[in-house]
Amino acid sequence: MTRVLISFTGVGKSSLVHLLCQNQVLGNPSWTVGCSVDVRVHDYKEGTPEEKTYYIELWDVGGSVGSASSVKSTRAVFYNSVNGIILVHDLTNKKSSQNLYRWSLEALNRDLVPTGVLVTNGDYDREQFADNQIPLLVIGTKLDQIHETKRHEVLTRTAFLAEDFNAEEINLDCTNLRCLAAGSSNAVKLSRFFDKVIEKRYFLREGNQIPGFPDRKRFGGGTLKSLHYD
């Protein structure tokens, strides 16, 4: 089974996971305690001769960036054997996007102490992720809660996240099924991410480029994506 990790608290990740796996709006979301697992059915390379159906586990890990060390140690158990990471942040909360950097250090460098993520000038130390091979996707939630007159300002502010994490970016209203309608830009990006996750799990060999994707330098070139805590 292929595993994708989703973590971070209070950003709407439970609603996101339900939408991604059940194609339904979650009517009464609750806080995640420990780890919640749901399964998404994904058609790899849909519409091509190589199309094949895979089951992908989405692990919704509870806890916050400021958790005690004992909680972080417990959470680290879920970081093993991960094939992809979705970095989720709340578009209405500027701090949640900043927390993605610390959470990414914790998840990707689980054997290192997560310090020095953010420096005084706001730059991100990308060198700590130069060798990362795990596919990343940044998702901003609660788009519906941002007034139309403010959306351009907010989305411009968060656009740098995708570049920092070398990942694609999706901004969603998890109360609207149409935000992931077949053929939409969001749906295409999501499918592309899960294709990379499948290739990381089943096809990628050490030292080889993922087939079908350009050779993009991870993190060193200034592109990174978001993690999600709920």
Side-chain angles (χ1 to χ4, degrees):
M1 182 75 74
T2 305
R3 297 176 181 175
V4 172
L5 181 69
I6 303 180
S7 189
F8 223 8
T9 235
V11 297
K13 77 173 179 290
S14 296
S15 297
L16 172 64
V17 170
H18 192 77
L19 180 64
L20 295 181
C21 295
Q22 307 301 328
N23 194 30
Q24 296 176 346
V25 173
L26 183 60
N28 187 25
S30 59
W31 291 84
T32 301
V33 178
C35 178
S36 175
V37 180
D38 208 339
V39 176
R40 175 184 172 87
V41 180
H42 175 66
D43 292 324
Y44 171 73
K45 290 198 172 181
E46 185 177 10
T48 73
E50 299 174 77
E51 180 176 341
K52 186 177 180 180
T53 299
Y54 288 87
Y55 295 93
I56 300 177
E57 290 182 344
L58 298 187
W59 289 30
D60 179 356
V61 181
S64 63
V65 168
S67 299
S69 58
S70 59
V71 177
K72 289 182 179 179
S73 298
T74 302
R75 202 162 56 209
V77 173
F78 303 111
Y79 299 156
N80 295 313
S81 303
V82 168
N83 308 117
I85 296 178
I86 297 178
L87 305 170
V88 185
H89 65 105
D90 177 354
L91 290 167
T92 69
N93 183 350
K94 184 184 298 185
K95 186 176 180 180
S96 76
S97 62
Q98 297 171 345
N99 284 338
L100 290 180
Y101 296 106
R102 297 186 181 182
W103 192 84
S104 61
L105 267 187
E106 180 184 323
L108 295 174
N109 290 338
R110 53 185 177 276
D111 295 326
L112 302 178
V113 178
T115 58
V117 182
L118 296 175
V119 293
T120 53
N121 62 357
D123 290 336
Y124 188 52
D125 185 3
R126 303 182 183 96
E127 292 301 318
Q128 299 186 63
F129 300 96
D131 297 326
N132 175 61
Q133 296 297 317
I134 299 177
L136 302 173
L137 177 67
V138 177
I139 295 183
T141 60
K142 305 183 183 180
L143 181 63
D144 55 305
Q145 297 182 26
I146 302 175
H147 195 277
E148 290 186 5
T149 59
K150 293 288 186 180
R151 285 188 182 182
H152 178 74
E153 175 186 339
V154 171
L155 297 183
T156 299
R157 188 191 73 224
T158 61
F160 71 91
L161 290 169
E163 295 185 1
D164 282 349
F165 289 100
N166 192 22
E168 290 193 292
E169 175 188 34
I170 295 175
N171 296 306
L172 300 176
D173 167 9
C174 293
T175 66
N176 185 355
L177 293 177
R178 291 178 299 176
C179 67
L180 290 175
S184 66
S185 174
N186 286 342
V188 170
K189 290 179 181 179
L190 189 65
S191 180
R192 199 152 50 205
F193 166 72
F194 284 125
D195 278 358
K196 291 181 181 181
V197 168
I198 293 299
E199 290 176 342
K200 169 69 170 61
R201 171 66 177 85
Y202 294 104
F203 307 127
L204 184 61
R205 296 293 181 268
E206 185 175 353
N208 292 340
Q209 181 180 333
I210 298 176
F213 292 95
D215 185 11
R216 299 173 64 192
K217 186 176 180 181
R218 294 277 177 182
F219 300 103
T223 310
L224 184 62
K225 290 218 166 185
S226 310
L227 291 162
H228 168 257
Y229 275 75
D230 229 13

